[in-house]
């Protein structure tokens, strides 16, 4: 900017005055210089007073699962486990960004004892374990909202399962072959490392697991090598893409490991426990399965793939991210189902457990789609036969598919869910249904979503008002009226 010549003498006088004032301020004592003049606002941030993160993320079914006040960006877990003693010792480093000022915050950890906690590299002012899973931490200095910080937790003990009357056993289990594995939903991760145990807070995950020589370790993501020293071998696994805590896994056994790639070069690591080779014939079709699912759902969303095959006859297989964990009874349908979850459940994760149909209904219907494409199944005929078989069974139709209530999450989603999605497909037509599936997985990739959002998505794609249809099939607990039970070409 230009300054006129007439203003220059006055400008010189102002400069002299400012210089003299600066010299005077510089000579003042430090405390007088930093004090704000009366009537002005100090620029120093106010102290944090009793600012606490919440001890629950607010899921209506599991209100004390997870915590608030921060968003985890990554877990780096280091453990040692000896199958002979069943003792686990661990150090977990959790990187997070504060979403509020925090003078206190919580993590979740089940049945393991914490011996030390450090926040931002400094020993915590205090920590205590409350209830069955709350680890309450008071940092040495409060954490400011927006600040990235690390929490390092040292812990140990004998990990165990979470027993749930409605949902069964989940978490850390000793395997029939003498090793161990961690799997289950909605609770599993916190039986072996501290976490913000809510599907709403997805994060990167890495583990270094040290086991006696002769044992080996499988987990999520990509292998990063192993090393042996003094009779112990350490294995490193890294999953950089966001993951819900219940989708993490670790499995320790004397594995037979098979390595290959998908056609696009994605690494595949499969592991078979002693006596678990029966699943190999199904897993060998993984490239075909993933290729088929890509046609239906869009590109495979992760950087690795594979499977962990147990010799244990547990009551479930689980879609642990990138590398599902399979019970001894797992068949080809199970492999299709768990890999369909890599899109529906893992890449796009539920907002609340009431939304579980977004996971299970779609993975179950993927089995029907596979049968249609690969085995020539007539799905309309299969649908009509199933409807006729259960026509008078109130217990079958009485299971809601959305907001079904705590403990009822998995009652109807595997069979009634298949019927509901086939009816939806016939209601909107194949073209719209295809766009619904691919548009959903693309729009919400690596994030979270809810069932009401899915309903709105289907209506937007199809151009139809489907409120009555969704009320009858997903929100209701009665036999849908004929117009919804037999839509489109299903109509007699």
């Amino acid at each position: 900017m230009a300054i006129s010549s007439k203003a220059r003498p006055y400008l010189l006088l102002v400069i002299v005055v400012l210089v003299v004032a600066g010299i005077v301020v510089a000579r003042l004592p430090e405390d007088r210089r930093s004090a704000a003049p009366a009537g002005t606002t100090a620029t120093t941030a106010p102290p944090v007073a009793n600012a606490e993160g919440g001890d629950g993320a607010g899921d209506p079914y599991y209100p004390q699962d997870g915590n608030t006040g921060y968003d985890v960006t990554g877990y780096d877990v280091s453990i040692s486990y000896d199958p002979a003693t069943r003792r686990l010792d661990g150090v977990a480093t959790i990187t997070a960004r504060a979403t509020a000022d925090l003078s206190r915050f919580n993590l979740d950890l089940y049945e393991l004892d914490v011996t030390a906690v450090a926040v931002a590299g400094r020993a915590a002012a205090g920590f205590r374990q409350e209830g069955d899973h709350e680890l309450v931490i008071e940092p040495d200095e409060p954490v400011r909202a927006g600040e990235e910080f690390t929490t390092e937790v040292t812990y140990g003990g004998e990990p165990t399962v979470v027993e749930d009357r409605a949902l069964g056993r989940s978490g850390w289990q000793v395997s029939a072959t003498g090793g161990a594995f961690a799997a289950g939903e909605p609770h599993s991760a916190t039986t072996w490392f501290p976490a913000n145990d809510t599907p709403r807070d997805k994060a990167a995950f890495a583990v270094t697991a040290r086991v006696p020589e002769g044992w080996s370790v499988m987990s999520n993501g990509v292998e990063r090598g192993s090393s042996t020293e003094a009779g112990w071998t350490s294995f490193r696994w890294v999953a950089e893409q966001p993951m819900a805590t219940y989708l993490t896994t670790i499995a320790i056994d004397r594995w037979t490991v098979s390595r290959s790639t998908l056609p696009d070069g994605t690494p595949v690591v499969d592991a078979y426990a002693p006596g678990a080779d029966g699943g190999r014939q199904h897993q060998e079709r993984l490239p075909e399965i993933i290729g088929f699912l890509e046609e239906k759902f869009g590109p495979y969303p992760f950087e690795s793939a594979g499977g962990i095959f147990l010799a244990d006859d547990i009551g479930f297989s689980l879609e642990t991210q990138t590398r599902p964990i399979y019970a001894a009874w797992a068949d080809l349908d199970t492999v299709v189902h768990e890999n369909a979850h890599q899109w529906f459940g893992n890449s796009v994760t539920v907002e609340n457990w009431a939304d579980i149909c977004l996971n299970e209904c779609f993975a179950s219907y993927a089995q029907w789609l596979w049968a249609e494409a690969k085995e020539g199944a007539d799905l309309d005929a299969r649908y009509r036969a199933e409807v006729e078989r259960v026509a008078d069974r109130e217990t079958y139709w009485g299971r809601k598919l959305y907001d079904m209530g705590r403990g009822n999450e998995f009652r109807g989603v595997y069979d009634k869910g298949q019927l509901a999605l086939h009816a939806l497909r016939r209601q909107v037509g194949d073209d719209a249904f295809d766009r619904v599936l691919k548009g959903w997985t693309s729009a919400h990739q690596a994030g979270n979503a809810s069932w009401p959002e899915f309903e709105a998505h289907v209506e937007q794609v199809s151009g139809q008002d489907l409120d009555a249809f969704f009320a009858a099939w997903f929100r209701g607990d009665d036999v849908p009226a004929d117009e919804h039970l037999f839509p489109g070409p299903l109509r007699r």
Side-chain angles (χ1 to χ4, degrees):
M1 137 175 47
I3 301 175
S4 79
S5 59
K6 291 183 179 179
R8 287 172 185 165
Y10 302 101
L11 180 60
L12 180 61
L13 178 61
V14 170
I15 292 172
V16 170
V17 170
L18 289 174
V19 170
V20 171
I23 293 171
V24 171
V25 170
R27 290 178 176 175
L28 287 174
E30 183 68 28
D31 58 342
R32 292 182 61 191
R33 270 189 279 157
S34 60
T40 66
T41 302
T43 58
T44 304
V48 176
N50 298 321
E52 301 180 7
D55 66 351
D59 186 286
Y61 295 175
Y62 306 95
Q64 286 193 296
D65 282 6
N67 308 279
T68 59
Y70 60 90
D71 175 32
V72 177
T73 56
Y75 296 94
D76 199 331
V77 179
S78 180
I79 68 164
S80 293
Y81 180 75
D82 187 350
T85 64
R86 299 183 180 179
R87 179 174 177 86
L88 181 148
D89 290 289
V91 177
T93 301
I94 300 103
T95 302
R97 186 171 299 279
T99 57
D101 288 343
L102 295 174
S103 60
R104 180 186 303 167
F105 63 93
N106 288 30
L107 288 165
D108 301 301
L109 183 65
Y110 184 75
E111 294 288 332
L112 293 171
D113 296 322
V114 175
T115 55
V117 177
V119 180
R122 297 184 297 274
F127 64 88
R128 63 183 183 275
Q129 293 180 262
E130 295 181 346
D132 63 358
H133 64 82
E134 295 294 342
L135 171 60
V136 184
I137 299 169
E138 297 179 19
D140 181 54
E141 293 184 5
V143 180
R144 299 284 180 180
E147 180 181 344
E148 185 175 83
F149 66 102
T150 59
T151 303
E152 183 181 275
V153 181
T154 304
Y155 60 99
E158 184 175 336
T160 187
V161 296
V162 177
E163 297 278 5
D164 188 289
R165 183 179 301 174
L167 302 178
R169 295 159 60 91
S170 61
W172 189 277
Q173 298 189 49
V174 175
S175 62
T177 52
F181 62 93
E185 59 182 323
H187 308 109
S188 174
T190 54
T191 63
W192 66 287
F193 69 93
N196 190 22
D197 200 19
T198 168
R200 299 178 187 178
D201 194 0
K202 299 168 69 169
F205 174 76
V207 60
T208 300
R210 179 174 171 266
V211 292
E213 194 172 356
W215 298 89
S216 57
V217 178
M218 294 290 121
S219 188
N220 312 87
V222 177
E223 290 180 292
R224 293 289 190 235
S226 62
S227 60
T228 300
E229 183 178 353
W232 289 75
T233 304
S234 295
F235 297 83
R236 178 75 171 168
W237 293 87
V238 176
E240 295 181 348
Q241 292 160 292
M243 188 185 327
T245 49
Y246 80 92
L247 296 171
T248 62
T249 191
I250 189 170
I252 299 163
D253 217 312
R254 302 181 188 277
W255 303 107
T256 298
V257 179
S258 174
R259 295 175 177 84
S260 59
T261 61
L262 299 178
D264 65 358
T266 299
V268 176
V269 180
D270 301 317
Y272 303 90
D277 279 347
R280 189 183 294 270
Q281 61 179 321
H282 308 308
Q283 187 66 3
E284 286 175 348
R285 298 183 70 177
L286 184 64
E288 179 188 2
I289 292 169
I290 289 182
F292 168 77
L293 295 173
E294 286 185 313
E295 294 174 5
K296 299 298 181 182
F297 303 153
Y300 181 68
F302 299 114
E303 78 280 22
S304 62
I308 302 170
F309 290 80
L310 304 172
D312 297 75
D313 193 21
I314 56 174
F316 63 89
S317 295
L318 187 69
E319 63 270 19
T320 43
Q321 192 157 305
T322 69
R323 195 156 288 106
I325 194 162
Y326 295 101
W329 48 260
D331 56 12
L332 180 60
D333 265 4
T334 307
V335 177
V336 172
H337 181 107
E338 304 306 343
N339 280 284
H341 273 308
Q342 304 307 311
W343 286 263
F344 285 90
N346 296 13
S347 178
V348 184
T349 304
V350 294
E351 184 74 18
N352 294 298
W353 287 104
D355 304 311
I356 195 64
C357 185
L358 288 173
N359 294 13
E360 300 300 344
C361 294
F362 289 86
S364 298
Y365 191 61
Q367 298 170 225
W368 276 31
L369 294 174
W370 173 268
E372 180 181 46
K374 302 294 183 176
E375 301 163 9
D378 181 339
L379 295 189
D380 287 352
R382 177 180 288 190
Y383 175 94
R384 291 190 185 97
E386 182 68 4
V387 168
E388 184 176 348
R389 186 181 70 83
V390 299
D392 299 323
R393 287 171 51 184
E394 291 184 12
T395 54
Y396 184 96
W397 296 105
R399 303 168 300 167
K400 295 171 65 175
L401 295 175
Y402 168 63
D403 200 10
M404 61 288 290
R406 187 199 187 287
N408 298 318
E409 296 95 317
F410 303 102
R411 290 185 60 222
V413 288
Y414 299 109
D415 48 9
K416 184 183 174 183
Q418 291 173 321
L419 295 182
L421 287 184
H422 191 66
L424 177 63
R425 176 182 169 187
R426 290 302 183 231
Q427 172 69 39
V428 303
D430 280 353
D431 180 66
F433 190 70
D434 180 69
R435 288 185 284 117
V436 162
L437 297 182
K438 290 175 181 171
W440 179 255
T441 58
S442 174
H444 298 282
Q445 184 171 358
N448 295 79
S450 69
W451 181 259
E453 288 177 299
F454 180 77
E455 291 182 348
H457 170 70
V458 179
E459 291 189 328
Q460 188 275 325
V461 171
S462 68
Q464 298 183 26
D465 181 346
L466 297 170
D467 287 357
F469 180 93
F470 285 126
W473 267 110
F474 295 91
R475 296 170 178 263
D477 56 3
D478 202 352
V479 182
D482 272 9
E483 64 181 298
H484 306 307
L485 191 60
F486 299 106
L490 289 171
R491 190 168 296 125
R492 291 191 174 93

